[in-house]
Every structure is written in C-alpha cells, then in structure tokens.
Amino acid sequence: MPNLQPYADPNYFVYLLLALVPLAIGLYFGKRFVAYEILVSLAFIFLIFDDKTHAGQGVALIVYSIWQFLLGWGYVRYRKEHNQSSVFYTVTALSILPIFLVRLSGAGIFHAQLSLLGFLGISYLTFRSVGMIIEVRDGAIKDFHPVMFLRFMLFMPTLSSGPIDRYTRFAKDAAVAPAREEYIDLLGDATKKLFLGLFYKFIVAHYAEIAYNYFQGMAMSDAHHGMILSWWLIPVAYSYGMYLFFDFAGYSLFALSISYVMGIRSPINFNKPYASKNIKEFWNRWHMSLSFWFRDFVFMRFVFLFLKHKWIKNRNTVSTIAYFVNMLVMGFWHGLTWYYILYGFMHGAALAGNDAWIRFKRKHKKVIPHNKFTEGFAVVLTFHFVMLSFLVFCGFLDTFWFHR
Amino acid sequence: MDVKAGVLEIIEDVTGEDMSNQMDEDLFESGLLDSMATVEMLLALEQRFNIQAPVSELSRDDWNTTNKIVASVTALMG
Amino acid sequence: MSNKKKLWQIFGPVLAAFVLLACVFLLPFPLTHYSQNDLRESSVSFSSQIVKGEAVKNAAFSDKKVNYVPFFGSSELSRIDSLHPSVLAEKYKRNYQPFMLGKAGSDSLVHFLNMQEMQGTLKTKKAVYVVSPQWFTKTGSDAGFNLFYSPLQTVDWLRNIGHNQPSETDQFVASQLLEKSVVKNNAYYHRLLTKVSKGEKLSTANLSTLDIKHQILSRQDALFSRCESSSNYKSRVLPAAKSLPKIYSKNALDRLGYEEGQKGTTNNDFHIKNSFYTTRVMPEKKALKGAQKDYDYTKSVEYAYFQSVLDNFAKNHTDVMFVITPVNQRWAKYTGLNNDMYQESVQKIKYQLQSQGFNNIADLSKDGGKDYFMQDTIHVGWRGWLELDQYLNPFLSSDSSQTNYQINNRFLSKDWQNLKPSKQSLSSFK
C-alpha cells in the first residue's frame, strides 16, 4: 500500500479526483452517495496512516474519534433533560483534554508518552468537536445523528489543517445534494481554486521557502557570540510571511476545491489578508475559519458572560481583556512555546490598541485626517506589524538566540 | 410589545444610528456592528424580549440587517 | 447557457492544458542546448541537480571540444583554491578537465545511482573516485540520499538491467532502496524494486512502462536542470589560475601552497581556513572537544555500497583512480578521533580494492599532519591538492589501459560490512 500525505504531491490529486468521480456524477444527477462518500473519506484517511512511521497516529485518531463520539452522544442525551453549567464545562474540558495533553508533552512538561495521543489534524478536529458541544449547549443542535456526526468529524478534505467548519452548517449541506445549476457553479469554482492552489503552493511557496531557508542560513552564519539581532532577520521575517501565506492559502484552496467537488461548501480561509487596513480587519481576512471560530466561541462568549453578570462595568476594559484572552488561547493552541505565546500576546495588544486608536479618532474626528494616503499608510503599517509578529511566530528566533 | 420598535431602539442604543429608514442595511459590512456591539445588542435583546440569544451560533446571514434581526427575534419568541 | 456548455467552459481549458503538457513531454524535439560556458560552470557547480539528472552529464561527457572527466566524491571537491584540480587543469592546458559530481552527503549509494545515468561515459572515459572514510559510519548517511535521489536514476538503472537476470549487486541495491521512504511510498517503484530484490527478471511490459517513464522524466530533467546557475568557474577557478606561475614546477607550486595556507589560517592553531573556523568550528568548539573519540569507520553498510560502485566500474571496464582522503591531524587530536581506527578502515578499503584488481590508488590518508596539506578539518587543500596532482596528472594525461577486475560478491555481505579489519582478518577474507 502506498502512503499518501494529503495534497503533498501531484499524484495525490490524481488518485483523489479519480476516486471522487462517482460521487461527482451522483451529485450532478441529484443523488448523494453517502456510503461511497464515507468509504472514500476513510480510505484516504487510512492512506495517511498506513506505514510504520504513521501507524501510531492512525490508532490515536481512532481512539480520539471514539472519545469524541461518546462525549457528543452523552452530552446530547443529557442536554435533552438538563442544562447545568458545570456539566457543560466538564464535557468541554474532556473534549479539549486530548490536545491539552499532547501540547503539554510536546513542551516536555508532561510524560513524553502522551504525545502518542497526537496525530496529524488533532488541533483541527478539536475545533469540530468542541464547537459541536457548544452548539448543543446553546440548543442549536437538538439530536445526535451518529452517521452525520462521523461524516462531520472525519470529513477528509479538511482533516489535516482545516478550514474549520461548523456542524450545523456542514449538516445542512451534507443532508442533500445541491441543485444541478448550483453544483455546476461549485465545480467551476472548485477548478479555479485547485489551479490557483497549485500555483500558490507548488510554485510561489516553493520559492519563498527556498528564500526563507537561505536567509535563515545567512542569519546563522552572521551570528557571533552575544549577538541579539542581525540584519538578516528582516528578510527572514518577510520571506517567512510570504511562504506561510502561499503555503497555507494554497493548501486551503485545495481543501475547499475538494470539498466543493463533494458538494460541501466549506468556509473560506483567506481573503487578501496583506491588504488589511488594520489588525482587526487582518483577522477578518487571515485564517478566517480559525479566527471566526475564536471570535464566536471565545471572544463573544467571554464578553457575553462578563457583561451579563456585570463583573466589569466598563465595556472597553471588557473588550481589552477579551482580546488578550482570545489571542493568548490561540497562541496556546498553536503550542506551548514562548514564541507562540508571545505571538498571541502581540496580537492581543495590537487589537486592543487598535480599538483604543479608533475611539480616539472618533472623538477627534475633526483634527485627524482620513484620506487615501492615510489608508495606504495604514495598510503598510499593518503589513509590517504582521511580518514582525510572524518573525516571532516562525520560531527562528528561538534557534537564533538559544540553539546556536 | 412592538418587536420592531424595541429592536430599533436597542440598535440605536448600541451603534448610535437610527436605522428606521434603512431596515435592510448590512450592519456588519457597514461596520456598525462589531463583535463587541453584537454581544451588547444580544444582551439587550435577551433582557427586553426574554429570549435566549445564540451567542456562538449567531448565523451572521440571519442577523445582518434590522429586518432580519426583527424576524429572528420574533422566531425566538416563538 | 446550457449546462453542457457550462461544463465545457469549466473543463475545456483543463483538458487543453493537459494536451499541451503532453506535447511538451512526449514530442521528440530537443529542449535544451548547453553552451561551452554552461558546461564549464556546471563542472564546478557541485549541484545536486546534476547528480540527479542526465541531461547535463550527457552533454558534458559527450562534448567534443573539452575532455571532461568525471570526479565522483563529496564535500572535498568544492574546496577550490589555487591548487585545486580544476584550476591546475585550466592553467596548464591539460588534455582533461575535471567534472565534479557530488557535494556534502554524496556517498557510494548516491554515486551508484548517479552512474546509472552515464554508463556510456564509464565505458569510454577514465574516472576519479574520491573515497572519504567519513562515509563509513555504521548505518551510512540517509540525509544525503534524499538530497541526491531522483526517480530518473532508478528508471535508468532498471533499463540498464533490461531483460537480464538482476545481479547480486542489483539485488542488494534494490533491497536497500526499498528501505528509503522516497522509494517505499511509491507503489510503482516499490513493485519493480521488490521484483529486482528477489532476483526476478523484469517483463517486457515492465520495460515498456519504464520507457515511457524515461521519456517523461528525462524531459522534466532537461527542462528544469538548467534552472540552477553557478559562477564558480568564472569567479573562483579563473582568478586562481591567473595567479599561478606560467610554467608548472612542483617546487614553486608547493612553496605557493605553503604561503597561501599560512596566510589563510591565522585565527586558529589547527591550520583550519579562517572562514571555516569562524562559521563552522568556533560556535561549537567546546562541544567538539573529544566528541569523536568513539567514532568507528571500520564497520559499515557503506562497504557494501562501495562494492556496488566497484561492480559497476568492473561491468563497464572503467579505468578508474581511487583517492583516499586524510583528516587534519591537529584537529583529530582535539576531537579525539582514533587514528588507529582510521588507518584500519583505510586498510579495509584498500584490501577491498586491491583484491579485486583496482590498483590505481592515491592513498593520502597518512598525510593529514603535513603543514597546509588540509584546508580545514577533513578536506584537503593547497599542498594536499598538489600532492594529489602527482597521481592524477600522469594517470589522466596518459591513454587508457586495459583493465582486469575480478569482482567478488562476498564484499556485499554482512560478514564483510561487519568485519573488524586486521592484517589477519583481511588476508583470510575470501
């Protein structure tokens, strides 16, 4: 059996698209072959984990799915009769527990064996399952459908790195076949996205990565004792920023394209993020499915709770705290290292600062100019701040400072 | 109680704009409602109409104009 | 618009793109032309792309104006200074010009596959093979393999086997490749190599799919192997040649090597070139003290890889000279590298060569203590290159002589790989 990592090389697309042909023909004629869809999903997941180096991860994925299945099933049953906050928080905590343990062991804080619980995609599956439990709590999900649950949890195109979908949205698409006209439009969009993705990931990101590696090498060879900064860190930051965007956006386009062929409109992930006028807009355009997830499930819930119980009166204080909580949780989710957490902190501070600036600007509308030039300046400023934060995020500083 | 009047009042309270002439204006796209303001609006709606607001599951397509908000609130009141 | 028309609008361009792509890959028009300058630069570019592909190698070794001779080796090839073989050949108008194949990480398995793409060359030309005892670690080097491997090498190799029964060497190499992830994860190569590893003949159907693969992969190689450009010849070889005396005199050149070495190694006591010392040694100097005292080059799978290369030379009757490199003695003392062990591994390599009739050996392994013989820790430079020239020039400038190699497949065995070399154990190994 060959081993196929998702979207890793051109062959993967050939195999996957061939396997999807029957499904696409079915959808074109208004039929959704659910059993076949599950079969293809499982087969391609199996092919990720079918060799010695990945087999352990495959087992972890199965254990993880059973765990989340039991939690989801149990909580829906419970929620029909009761609605205690303590139970909700316990179930949420249990749902987060696997990734929490994996992150702890990854940082060397806990038993190294716990990393055995990890597998490719665990961080993204956690969003699917936790999001679902919150939706149950809010009453958006009333019944537990085992098959739909598994189709959602193990939806293969977005398994490894998103985009992060929501159960209610997914279930709406997955229950039916789209109308023929709509499906043709979806196929058109899928084709465009596939080719744009190929261009992004296999051409632009490829060269950006070469540049990134080159500049890292130059920075390392430039480094001498006690050196804190090197000019080479500047191109390291920008080349990484380009690499990250084109690699991740390219990957996301693949995932969307395959989703569309399967008749599922997974949410988009990137919308010209480097053209954002401020950091808040940036997060509405960058890794959108993640930031919207955090917005809805962390930021808004946090603010809602604080305002409802009137724990803090001042709305600006509440939103500032919420920004920091939101971005720090995101930092922790990436991994327990100083640079991910600092990255979260930087963005929390930037979001809070941005709000403060907008309030100030509103108060002094008459004195502060607003025109094409200030907007252009804002775009440039935002871009450079983001690149600076990516220099932290990429982890090269850790190597540069502490592992020479 | 008139739902429409109540919703308009709350929106004006939160955004500082009277929307009675632009019932179909997209509140998110125009920047009038950000996440913070949305939460404040939902809280006010909860108290005024005694409904449970779907904070996290807020489908923005069903809540992006004043008209839609009125419809959603009416639906939630059952 | 009708649905059918819409579908055409979506998938028509995709189809057209595939047709175009097929044309580029399958139609028999030439894609590339290499100028004299391209080839000259390629000869000292040390690019892994050249090892991977066949286009540049074919063009260079069939060139009518310059007699390029393949130099197989690893990191030492790139130590260009005034007495580097490429510089001496350029300056003194030798009737050969070295073409360097390899850089850090290319060992015998890499070169076995590399050679599969240039069997014709090995039949007609002499060759130089630089062996570094550092290759002979317990499990061989894996990182290097991925850098130099291309499916085209495997395709060429399998086509070279053709309808013949795979030899013991072929079976051994196939079984080794099956362990490598780049090969293992490809169902097609996995199937064919499993066959070869079991000694089964390839079928006619197998060979015709290999022909198609070859057509596509060699096109790809011709299209992309020119992307990497280098200017080492212009920027390093030519200026170095300019500074040499007009007439070759070993003594004068030796003095020059001594002076340049002295000038170039002023910031350390190891006689290591300054730039190498600051970037590669200094940052980890403390950690390196005594770090190599347990190194062992006497038992290694590399001995079997090396045997595969010898088998390939024998098959093509290549007139080949082997070079065995030394380590910088001052440096070895610091890192604790065991000199007896080093010499034992050299004896083992030499026994493997001589007992099979490979008698052209430039053994420099005992010269690592001479002043400015080495450019840095394990790479010859200055006076070392000049010493090597005393072997290379007579060998390469003369006509090819008849070879008489007797291959012994026992050198592929685990017994040999793990044999602890001593006078007795070597002479009793049959």
Side-chain angles (χ1 to χ4, degrees), chain B residues 2 10 30-31 35 45 58 61 78:
Chain B
D2 183 9
I10 288 171
S30 61
S35 309
L45 292 172
L58 186 84
D61 290 344

Side-chain angles (χ1 to χ4, degrees), chain A residues 1-3 11 28 51 180-181 184-185 187-188 191 195 207 221 225 404, chain C residues 1 3-4 6-7 10-11 14 18 184-187 227 279 282-284:
Chain A
M1 271 289 164
N3 182 268
N11 284 347
Y28 185 78
D51 72 347
R180 181 171 294 182
E181 301 273 313
I184 291 174
D185 287 342
L187 285 180
T191 312
F195 280 88
Y207 286 110
S221 60
H225 259 303
R404 277 220 278 265
Chain C
M1 207 184 333
N3 287 337
K4 221 176 179 179
K6 263 190 180 167
L7 283 177
I10 294 168
F11 295 113
V14 178
F18 276 105
K184 193 166 53 176
N185 290 333
N186 185 307
C227 291
T279 56
M282 215 161 63
E284 306 169 76

Side-chain angles (χ1 to χ4, degrees), chain C residues 64-79:
Chain C
K64 297 216 167 56
K65 288 209 183 86
V66 183
N67 172 27
Y68 285 108
V69 173
F71 274 51
F72 302 95
S74 49
S75 46
E76 70 289 329
L77 299 180
S78 63
R79 266 49 188 187

Side-chain angles (χ1 to χ4, degrees), chain C residues 108-116 157 169 173 308-309 312:
Chain C
S108 294
L109 183 59
V110 168
H111 283 309
F112 176 83
L113 292 167
N114 176 18
M115 287 171 188
Q116 299 304 321
W157 170 41
T169 297
V173 174
S308 313
V309 165
N312 196 56

